[in-house]
Amino acid sequence: MTEKLLIILQIAGRRCALSALDVRSVIETGAITPVPRSPIWIAGITALRSQALTVIDCRRAIGLPDGEWPTDHRAAVVTEGGHSYALLVDGIEDITIAAGEAGQVPGGFGAEWSRVALGMIETMAGPALLIDLPALLAGPEAHRPEIEAAA
Amino acid sequence: MDDLLAEFIAETREMLEATGGELVAWEADPADRARLDSIFRFVHTVKGNCGFFDFPRLASLSHAAEDALADCRAGRREADEALVTGVLAIIDRIAVMIDAIEAGEEFPEGGDDALIAALEGGAEAPADSPETPLHAPAAAQLGAGPGGGEEQTASFRRSDQRTIRLPVELLDRVMSGVSDMVLARNDLAHRLRQAGNQPTIDGPFERLTTILSDVRDAITRMRMQRIETLFGALPRLVRDLSAELGKQVMVDLDGGDVELDREMIETIRDPLTHIIRNAIDHGIESPSARLAQGKREIGLLAIAARQSGNTISIVLADDGRGLDEERIAAKAVATGLVTAAERAAMPRDKILNLIFEPGFSTAEIVSNVSGRGVGLDVVRQNLEKVGGSIKVASIPGEGTTFTLQIPLTLSIIAGLTVDAGGQRFAIPQSYVEEIVQGSARALDLTRLGETALVTFRGLRVPCLMLGEVLGLTDGEAAKEPTLVMLRLASGDLFALAVEGIHNHGDLVVKPLAPAVMRSGLYAGSTLLDDGTPVLLLDVANIAAQHNLVSDTRTRVLGPLAEDAGAAAESAQRAMLFTDFAGRRSAVRLELVQRIETAPVAAIDRSAARPRVVIDGLILPLIGLPEAPLTQSRVRLLRLSDGACELLYAVREVEDAVELTEALAPVPEDPLAEAMTLIGGTPVTLIDAHELFARHGEAPQAAARPRCTLPDGEWSRAILAPLVTAAGYDIVDPAEAGAGAIGILFEDVYEVAETLGRPLPPCVIRLRDQPDAPAGAETIYRYDREGLLAALNAAAAAAARAHAGEAA
């Protein structure tokens, strides 16, 4: 198995992992220009040099109720569908190696988390939830009907 | 033409490279439908391009291959080894021919028919002679191709215009690098300013700035191209096609200066060619058929490009026979695109747009020029790939209109940045009609229910508060809003109230993430010079969200400047005021020239009726109270019937209003045209006819008073401008009429008086010394105040004398 590099993040107090291949860079978040009338999980836009990034508040993009989470002064920059995003998280912790494939756990992770998770992955830093980037960036509205239907 | 040819060669090469892999895979599995389709598209495109460039051999080869492949797609023929070999042979031959064309050499005659026959003949021919494959292996091709050895030398010969093709990502990287550099420069400039003047650094820094802006310009031009470059090739294409098809077509191009991403120009080149082909082949009738229908013999194909905000629309309209709804429907049902039941429920519009479905074509005769149903579905596919769209509208017998919408992935537009809710936003300049600043009262900002209206050039225009639209502020608008008047492409006008305007400038607009775009408020983002991101508003969409487009059009739009006359009839408007008797009155707005304010001291009550001098004109004044005025200034409505002017003194000017209620005549008051209700209270509408009949003065009295000047350089250079500025016409003494005021030097006056020469009735005498000699009514020639006062008095006297004569 090829070694899989992961970036370990804290989102809403949980340890999560993003594939390092997805993360272009980690930046210091500068001034964020809010985008009026956009979904609540879009914190605004910010500039990375001459490029505009859409800033996503991951806690809200998952669809979690508001909580008292700290926010890291750094953000992970990812690219999806030709657009670049900066992900706001509680903290960016480490880069580590995956110690296995992502797998499911009995009972799931809860509706909100299951939507954005590819599964649990064992890492050198302990188990983490591997995040499905497109699902995260689609926002909580994307699967709301399904969740409601399931409930 | 040469660069077009180079484009064609480069494009065909590129496609050949891409098709190479497909060919090999198809050879391995001839049943593979996807591979077949992509090879089919390649030969189809080559065929189309050849028709344009007049390469008959290339055209016949690709046409043959296309025929064979079309049969396969339709299931009329098996894609057996013979067919594959034949097609591959043709594609190889195309590659060799392209090389020859590029080198500018003649390709040896012959051989084509054998290749074509091999395809048509089906299984026998090539299968019998497997030892001599019709398509040579690639290695052999390289060596044996005509001009193969000389190819290198040949390519060196073509050096008039050197071009290269680059991957777009590379350009993008360079472009964003330069943008980053500009930001870094701005940052550096900021720090240098803080550090103070440093001549050793400032010089090189200035140079860096200049170089950087040059590079930025060049880079921008690298990416953007006028659509002209695309349009330039069209007249020739149309001419050749119409000649080939025995039709007469005139092409009308508009909007060539619209700038487009080069990548997009490449993307729409084929779709445009396809549609033009279709229009000429299927749309426009033959000259005789056109004459029979009472149309002009020559068909018209109009192509126009327009940029509206963040999209570019290209409209291709022909005046041909239009699309046949029934035939399209029948075909769609026959090919199983829709069921008969579905068809019955479909509106015409939807049926017409079925022509973009894959595998659709109504042409009964398959010609060399268009149609096997590859055209339009490819067109739509190509456009959708870049986020564009295409639709068609058609009126039977009158023509067909294709509308292509192309998004601007990256564009540089002129924009305006504005403030709202403490944040900055950008508005495309192309929408901005005017910027109006003023108090809410002056702009007549009124709230009606949830909407707000402002009065702009006598029109009620809906007004959106940008802060409210964006949910940043709620409730009342600022006391002194700035209104940006926006004119939409549909002609609708609306006002956007903002808190402030920053500046105009070129904005590099980049796309936003889909989640942000979904709000429908923004068209993209741009960076300010300091690197702050700013959102570009989607003006058209915001207006649409507030129902400001089309359906409310008649109410909103009202008359434009050119039909102001019609407006006067439809909406009667009046100026509402309170006169000195305390009555609320109104006078028709068309009569009001201006609202003047004059000092009470300027009112001359010496004659039978009071007068005021305004702009050097002596105007009769009415409406004054009997009692002396207590205030020092008085508001005057300046009324005009076109020839005469008069002033109406009022206590307070209220507003311009519309006369919506019924007008009730008032026979007992000759000066009142009618009574009406404005805002629920009665108002007297002044009878303009009676007013001018009583008080209007003969036009000549209102003309500029004339004045003669003494001879000499001084009076021409120094006195004349002063007199002119005061509102007098300077006339030659020989032409001066009785009413002219004469300005003379004292010594000249004395001589003339002594000699008994005729003198003007009103004379102003100028003296050279500041101190007045006793007993002489003279004015020192640099006594400006005195001179103007004397002119006024003389003009008033002349006017009185004149009025006296007239009476």
Side-chain angles (χ1 to χ4, degrees):
Chain A
M1 194 188 90
T2 51
E3 287 190 341
K4 195 172 175 188
L5 274 181
L6 296 174
I7 306 235
I8 301 295
L9 315 162
Q10 285 284 339
I11 301 177
R14 307 287 193 275
R15 188 188 290 124
C16 300
L18 275 175
S19 165
L21 295 176
D22 289 336
V23 179
R24 246 175 50 204
S25 57
V26 171
I27 57 159
E28 292 280 328
T29 40
I32 297 174
T33 307
V35 180
R37 296 260 153 120
S38 60
I40 190 165
W41 48 276
I42 292 178
I45 53 175
T46 190
L48 169 61
R49 296 189 300 279
S50 68
Q51 198 187 14
L53 304 175
T54 308
V55 186
I56 304 288
D57 186 326
C58 288
R59 285 72 56 104
R60 289 182 159 149
I62 290 169
L64 298 174
D66 282 346
E68 291 295 311
W69 320 115
T71 299
D72 201 302
H73 57 96
R74 295 166 303 172
V77 177
V78 296
T79 306
E80 163 67 28
H83 297 279
S84 295
Y85 300 85
L87 303 180
L88 285 186
V89 294
D90 302 358
I92 297 175
E93 292 188 339
D94 201 2
I95 297 180
T96 184
I97 300 164
E101 290 295 320
Q104 297 303 315
V105 293
F109 309 104
E112 286 92 0
W113 287 99
S114 291
R115 184 181 67 79
V116 300
L118 288 170
M120 189 266 287
I121 193 161
E122 286 293 344
T123 73
M124 308 301 272
L129 207 57
L130 188 62
I131 297 290
D132 177 2
L133 202 53
L136 178 74
L137 296 176
E141 297 91 353
H143 284 240
R144 180 82 15 107
E146 270 175 48
I147 293 167
E148 277 164 9
Chain B
M1 204 56 198
D2 282 350
D3 44 338
L4 284 175
L5 186 60
E7 278 285 326
F8 163 66
I9 290 166
E11 190 188 315
T12 313
R13 278 250 174 80
E14 221 165 64
M15 280 193 297
L16 273 171
E17 264 168 44
T19 329
E22 304 276 312
L23 281 172
V24 176
W26 187 49
E27 199 170 15
D29 178 14
D32 188 337
R33 178 65 193 237
R35 298 253 147 72
L36 173 63
D37 282 357
S38 78
I39 297 168
F40 178 65
R41 292 214 170 96
F42 165 70
V43 288
H44 181 81
T45 311
V46 171
K47 185 196 80 174
N49 287 343
C50 302
F52 175 24
F53 284 105
D54 188 29
F55 294 134
R57 294 178 61 198
L58 218 45
S60 60
L61 280 172
S62 45
H63 192 60
E66 195 193 356
D67 268 334
L69 291 171
D71 284 348
C72 290
R73 287 177 90 204
R76 285 191 291 271
R77 192 168 164 181
E78 275 300 305
D80 52 18
E81 200 191 325
L83 180 109
V84 174
T85 314
V87 170
L88 293 188
I90 283 182
I91 289 174
D92 285 346
R93 179 62 67 91
I94 290 173
V96 180
M97 278 184 169
I98 291 292
D99 290 345
I101 290 166
E102 188 179 23
E105 290 163 2
E106 276 301 309
F107 191 75
E109 286 292 327
D112 296 357
D113 295 344
L115 291 176
I116 294 168
L119 262 186
E120 283 165 356
E124 312 94 54
D128 291 344
S129 51
E131 281 81 15
T132 53
L134 280 164
H135 72 111
Q141 282 287 334
L142 278 178
E150 302 150 45
E151 206 173 3
Q152 272 82 5
T153 40
S155 56
F156 283 121
R157 250 181 270 141
R158 299 172 296 106
S159 58
D160 14 15
Q161 203 194 1
R162 291 158 57 217
T163 56
I164 50 166
R165 287 169 83 86
L166 290 172
V168 172
E169 298 93 88
L170 186 62
L171 277 185
D172 280 346
R173 243 172 66 199
V174 174
M175 196 153 174
S176 68
V178 170
S179 300
D180 289 350
M181 226 143 63
V182 171
L183 293 179
R185 187 219 77 95
N186 292 344
D187 190 21
L188 189 59
H190 184 66
R191 276 159 213 242
L192 283 179
R193 265 201 307 278
Q194 281 177 339
N197 236 13
Q198 292 166 71
T200 48
I201 299 175
D202 286 355
F205 183 72
E206 276 307 308
R207 239 180 72 217
L208 177 76
T209 305
T210 328
I211 295 169
L212 205 51
S213 78
D214 275 0
V215 172
R216 196 188 191 186
D217 249 28
I219 294 277
T220 309
R221 250 180 294 141
M222 243 159 83
R223 224 22 238 277
M224 304 297 282
Q225 197 172 31
R226 286 176 161 216
I227 203 163
E228 235 164 32
T229 51
L230 184 57
F231 280 7
L234 299 183
R236 173 74 197 275
L237 173 73
V238 171
R239 209 200 70 187
D240 290 359
L241 284 174
S242 46
E244 190 177 328
L245 295 164
K247 307 211 172 149
Q248 294 189 20
V249 184
M250 201 168 72
V251 62
D252 175 41
L253 298 169
D254 186 26
D257 54 350
V258 168
E259 283 205 336
L260 203 54
D261 200 326
R262 269 172 205 271
E263 196 187 356
M264 284 296 170
I265 290 196
E266 296 294 315
T267 320
I268 60 173
R269 188 187 298 274
D270 284 346
L272 271 186
T273 324
H274 276 294
I275 294 171
I276 292 171
R277 233 178 267 284
N278 273 323
I280 297 173
D281 198 11
H282 306 313
I284 291 175
E285 310 92 329
S286 62
S288 54
R290 288 183 66 87
L291 283 176
Q293 288 173 38
K295 289 188 190 178
R296 279 182 63 196
E297 207 175 340
I298 305 174
L300 181 71
L301 184 66
I303 304 170
R306 288 274 178 281
Q307 178 175 353
S308 54
N310 57 327
T311 54
I312 292 201
S313 57
I314 299 177
V315 178
L316 293 104
D318 68 57
D319 63 348
R321 60 170 72 98
L323 295 177
D324 186 337
E325 181 183 344
E326 284 312 314
R327 260 177 56 202
I328 292 171
K331 179 76 189 281
V333 173
T335 50
L337 279 175
V338 292
T339 64
E342 276 171 352
R343 181 257 173 275
M346 278 169 101
R348 173 176 166 82
D349 189 41
K350 272 214 165 143
I351 292 172
L352 295 185
N353 282 288
L354 285 175
I355 58 172
F356 300 112
E357 293 301 321
F360 188 92
S361 172
T362 55
E364 272 142 21
I365 308 156
V366 173
S367 70
N368 193 23
V369 176
S370 70
R372 257 183 216 85
V374 73
L376 287 172
D377 66 311
V378 175
V379 165
R380 187 164 75 173
Q381 248 177 39
N382 284 350
L383 283 170
E384 283 177 352
K385 230 183 279 167
V386 295
S389 67
I390 182 166
K391 59 181 189 228
V392 66
S394 171
I395 303 170
E398 285 183 31
T400 309
T401 306
F402 285 91
T403 309
L404 283 76
Q405 296 278 355
I406 304 144
L408 289 174
T409 44
L410 169 133
S411 60
I412 297 182
I413 62 166
L416 182 71
T417 46
V418 301
D419 265 345
Q423 220 181 309
R424 278 204 206 178
F425 297 92
I427 299 174
Q429 186 81 48
S430 56
Y431 287 107
V432 179
E433 177 115 332
E434 199 170 322
I435 293 165
V436 187
Q437 234 154 346
S439 68
R441 195 183 151 80
L443 295 167
D444 197 10
L445 181 69
T446 42
R447 288 244 171 202
L448 296 173
E450 292 296 312
T451 40
L453 291 176
V454 291
T455 306
F456 173 69
R457 300 267 156 77
L459 292 175
R460 295 278 190 205
V461 176
C463 176
L464 298 178
M465 313 291 156
L466 183 55
E468 238 176 276
V469 170
L470 300 173
L472 292 173
T473 54
D474 45 37
E476 287 317 295
K479 281 275 175 299
E480 301 252 324
T482 302
L483 296 183
V484 184
M485 308 302 300
L486 300 165
R487 169 89 60 198
L488 299 172
S490 59
D492 299 288
L493 184 72
F494 76 100
L496 195 64
V498 300
E499 284 157 27
I501 301 270
H502 280 277
N503 51 343
H504 308 243
D506 283 345
L507 308 173
V508 178
V509 182
K510 293 187 176 174
L512 285 166
V516 181
M517 292 297 271
R518 266 198 292 277
S519 67
L521 295 169
Y522 313 107
S525 71
T526 183
L527 296 183
L528 295 183
D529 280 348
D530 62 357
T532 332
V534 164
L535 293 156
L536 179 75
L537 298 175
D538 188 340
V539 172
N541 217 346
I542 290 175
Q545 283 183 4
H546 290 82
N547 298 322
L548 296 182
V549 191
S550 301
D551 51 330
T552 50
R553 186 176 190 155
T554 41
R555 182 175 62 79
V556 171
L557 191 51
L560 293 173
E562 52 267 26
D563 45 26
E569 283 169 41
S570 60
Q572 298 193 328
R573 298 170 56 77
M575 177 63 77
L576 189 63
F577 64 89
T578 309
D579 67 8
F580 278 104
R583 278 190 311 176
R584 285 182 85 215
S585 311
V587 59
R588 289 184 182 273
L589 199 60
E590 302 89 78
L591 295 172
V592 181
Q593 290 292 92
R594 226 185 300 170
I595 300 168
E596 306 272 7
T597 306
V600 168
I603 299 173
D604 172 21
R605 293 196 188 228
S606 57
R609 68 173 77 127
R611 280 158 214 284
V612 176
V613 176
I614 285 182
D615 294 344
L617 294 179
I618 305 160
L619 300 171
L621 175 65
I622 55 170
L624 278 180
E626 293 297 318
L629 290 166
T630 47
Q631 68 266 54
S632 62
R633 302 179 81 79
V634 60
R635 299 279 267 172
L636 307 167
L637 294 180
R638 186 164 169 180
L639 308 179
S640 167
D641 66 349
C644 304
E645 288 193 16
L646 56 82
L647 295 166
Y648 201 121
V650 299
R651 181 172 285 165
E652 194 189 352
V653 177
E654 284 189 25
D655 208 348
V657 292
E658 257 174 49
L659 297 175
T660 47
E661 301 292 323
L663 303 178
V666 195
E668 62 276 15
D669 186 352
L671 262 177
E673 179 190 332
M675 292 289 283
T676 186
L677 287 177
I678 291 173
T681 51
V683 168
T684 313
L685 185 63
I686 305 281
D687 187 330
H689 187 270
E690 187 63 27
L691 194 69
F692 277 95
R694 281 192 191 189
H695 305 287
E697 292 203 345
Q700 56 262 47
R704 283 158 73 92
R706 286 167 303 167
C707 187
T708 62
L709 296 186
D711 291 334
E713 191 62 27
W714 180 83
S715 64
R716 268 199 302 280
I718 296 174
L719 184 60
L722 172 70
V723 173
T724 314
Y728 294 79
D729 277 339
I730 293 167
V731 292
D732 190 82
E735 295 165 11
I741 304 159
I743 300 180
L744 292 174
F745 280 109
E746 176 64 10
D747 47 350
V748 178
Y749 179 81
E750 276 171 7
V751 172
E753 202 178 30
T754 326
L755 296 179
R757 287 210 191 123
L759 282 166
C762 302
V763 176
I764 296 171
R765 290 141 66 190
L766 301 179
R767 62 172 189 267
D768 290 340
Q769 318 80 21
D771 299 316
E777 287 180 45
T778 56
I779 296 164
Y780 174 48
R781 60 171 166 172
Y782 286 116
D783 179 3
R784 190 189 184 97
E785 298 299 318
L787 191 58
L788 290 181
L791 275 172
N792 266 344
R800 263 200 301 279
H802 202 84
E805 278 167 37

